[in-house]
Amino acid sequence: MSTTGQIIRCKAAVAWEAGKPLVMEEVEVAPPQKHEVRIKILFTSLCHTDVYFWEAKGQTPLFPRIFGHEAGGIVESVGEGVTDLQPGDHVLPIFTGECGDCPHCHSEESNMCDLLRINTERGGMIHDGESRFSINGKPIHHFLGTSTFSEYTVVHSGQVAKINPDAPLDKVCIVSCGLSTGLGATLNVAKPKKGQSVAIFGLGAVGLAAAEGARIAGASRIIGVDLNSQRFDQAKEFGVTEFVNPKDHDKPVQQVIAEMTNGGVDRSVECTGSVQAMIQAFECVHDGWGVAVLVGVPSKDDAFKTHPMNFLNERTLKGTFFGNYKPKTDIPGVVEKYMNKELELEKFITHTLPFSEINKAFDYMLKGESIRCIITMGA
């Protein structure tokens, strides 16, 4: 392409300080360096993780910064050493990566790459620690190695999944984070058998994706647990068959679920980040074969407390990161599930906006009005 090797000037939504509206700026995007690719972002969506770090509550603030990590686009150019991607490829940038060389990448059981594992505090690229974004010579920090709230971005090639060029990027862009996290937690880790019961704690986007996984697996009962009863009608579209609001009961919710299910559910998936919900999710599974999977990220000072007999009674507790999907190896297959009509994505997309109105997406999420808002970059 004519822009190969050159600086590209384009629009980006820059967060100059915590909690303040993003500002549309013209940024300079440097060419990709060793093991990097430059991507033209066509569609991006807003994930709660973007909002969390934009608010900068409970972590080190790093501004100015370009957020965004759920997106789809087309490779514009590639840097030295990149052999598996080329200009024109349709891709999803991913917030974590797969270097292909470390013990985790060689393991069939792990997707937690030593080199490219999520790092929320890194503001530059791994190759040299420098940012590829600048305004009038002033560097702008990256976010999760993706920074998709920009018409062009630079990403390590190990964080780029090449997908079917026929897949509509305005739909499959949501596969690059929350949807895969919840879906994989159920299908890859909890692994419910056909006809089993599954409890989902938290019915936000990740929880609904976990429910979608339970539906695909053929679960007979999918019990949604959430403190917001208004979420239940929406959750029915994702296969949830019953709803429990802990606030409606004067006994522990794990006891309520055990009574509903003759001893406990076969599988549970926790998607809240609340350590109390994590304990409830573990203690509500059936003894002998019950498996609980933790997805939510707890506060740093939280401690998980349960009686050891829960383990001795043959309950299993598991954790998962990004649904145990390896980004480059597995995510193209998730896109194919959608292309083969095994996976429904449209119902996750509640809003669409032009890039110029990106701050509205933050408003929708803060008010709890959206599951996923698609932002069209060219608009």
Side-chain angles (χ1 to χ4, degrees):
M1 297 175 75
S2 60
T3 49
T4 300
Q6 299 178 20
I7 289 172
I8 289 177
R9 289 176 175 80
C10 69
K11 282 190 286 186
V14 177
W16 287 100
E17 52 185 307
K20 296 292 175 67
L22 307 187
V23 180
M24 205 61 69
E25 305 276 11
E26 182 179 82
V27 298
E28 295 187 340
V29 185
Q33 301 301 305
K34 190 175 183 179
H35 300 310
E36 297 172 2
V37 298
R38 190 161 56 183
I39 301 169
K40 181 178 184 178
I41 299 294
L42 298 181
F43 299 95
T44 188
S45 60
L46 179 65
C47 170
H48 187 265
T49 303
D50 296 305
V51 176
Y52 180 75
F53 283 89
W54 166 73
E55 290 179 319
K57 295 176 180 175
Q59 76 277 333
T60 307
L62 197 59
F63 296 93
R65 203 170 200 181
I66 296 174
F67 287 102
H69 64 283
E70 278 191 0
I74 297 174
V75 174
E76 175 268 339
S77 59
V78 304
E80 177 191 343
V82 178
T83 57
D84 61 331
L85 295 162
Q86 58 188 19
D89 285 345
H90 286 222
V91 295
L92 304 182
I94 313 283
F95 68 92
T96 183
E98 184 181 351
C99 73
D101 295 324
C102 71
H104 285 278
C105 286
H106 285 303
S107 168
E108 293 182 2
E109 299 176 35
S110 175
N111 66 338
M112 301 186 71
C113 175
D114 283 333
L115 179 67
L116 298 170
R117 190 179 306 183
I118 183 173
N119 184 333
T120 59
E121 298 195 0
R122 186 189 297 128
M125 299 298 290
I126 285 176
H127 173 58
D128 56 9
E130 300 294 322
S131 175
R132 304 290 176 258
F133 298 108
S134 62
I135 298 177
N136 298 325
K138 177 183 174 63
I140 308 296
H141 295 296
H142 292 247
F143 180 63
L144 301 183
T146 51
S147 292
T148 62
F149 294 165
S150 174
E151 291 176 322
Y152 285 85
T153 190
V154 176
V155 182
H156 191 286
S157 63
Q159 290 182 237
V160 179
K162 180 181 174 180
I163 62 166
N164 185 340
D166 294 330
L169 289 170
D170 60 333
K171 307 293 191 299
V172 299
C173 63
I174 66 171
V175 167
S176 58
C177 179
L179 183 124
S180 294
T181 296
L183 187 76
T186 303
L187 293 179
N188 298 337
V189 188
K191 297 181 180 176
K193 298 179 175 69
K194 191 177 174 70
Q196 286 191 322
S197 56
V198 181
I200 308 291
F201 284 73
L203 296 174
V206 175
L208 293 175
E212 178 79 352
R215 181 191 69 78
I216 291 171
S220 60
R221 297 176 73 179
I222 304 175
I223 301 168
V225 183
D226 201 290
L227 296 170
N228 182 355
S229 297
Q230 293 180 333
R231 287 180 160 178
F232 186 42
D233 280 343
Q234 189 176 54
K236 288 178 182 175
E237 294 180 45
F238 299 84
V240 177
T241 56
E242 298 156 80
F243 187 78
V244 176
N245 187 332
K247 293 190 292 190
D248 294 342
H249 301 274
D250 55 9
K251 61 179 75 168
V253 72
Q254 53 268 54
Q255 191 177 331
V256 173
I257 292 172
E259 291 171 2
M260 288 170 63
T261 55
N262 194 27
V265 287
D266 302 301
R267 303 287 187 266
S268 70
V269 184
E270 176 281 326
C271 304
T272 69
S274 158
V275 73
Q276 184 179 5
M278 294 176 183
I279 295 166
Q280 294 164 346
F282 177 53
E283 295 182 351
C284 82
V285 298
H286 206 288
D287 58 10
W289 62 79
V291 177
V293 177
L294 306 186
V295 180
V297 179
S299 298
K300 64 178 181 178
D301 297 325
D302 282 338
F304 185 99
K305 185 178 179 182
T306 190
H307 198 281
M309 282 304 299
N310 286 318
F311 293 99
L312 297 176
N313 287 333
E314 299 182 2
R315 293 178 178 89
T316 300
L317 181 65
K318 291 185 172 186
T320 179
F321 168 69
F322 191 46
N324 274 51
Y325 286 118
K326 291 181 187 286
K328 293 177 78 73
T329 301
D330 298 330
I331 292 306
V334 179
V335 171
E336 289 309 307
K337 279 186 184 292
Y338 169 73
M339 297 299 283
N340 296 334
K341 297 185 167 47
E342 298 168 44
L343 173 63
E344 299 170 16
L345 296 180
E346 284 81 0
K347 60 192 177 185
F348 288 89
I349 299 167
T350 51
H351 299 79
T352 57
L353 287 171
F355 190 30
S356 58
E357 296 180 20
I358 189 170
N359 286 302
K360 283 187 182 177
F362 281 75
D363 293 339
Y364 292 145
M365 183 160 284
L366 289 168
K367 292 176 183 174
E369 295 175 358
S370 69
I371 303 175
R372 278 297 181 265
C373 177
I374 302 297
I375 296 153
T376 303
M377 301 304 285

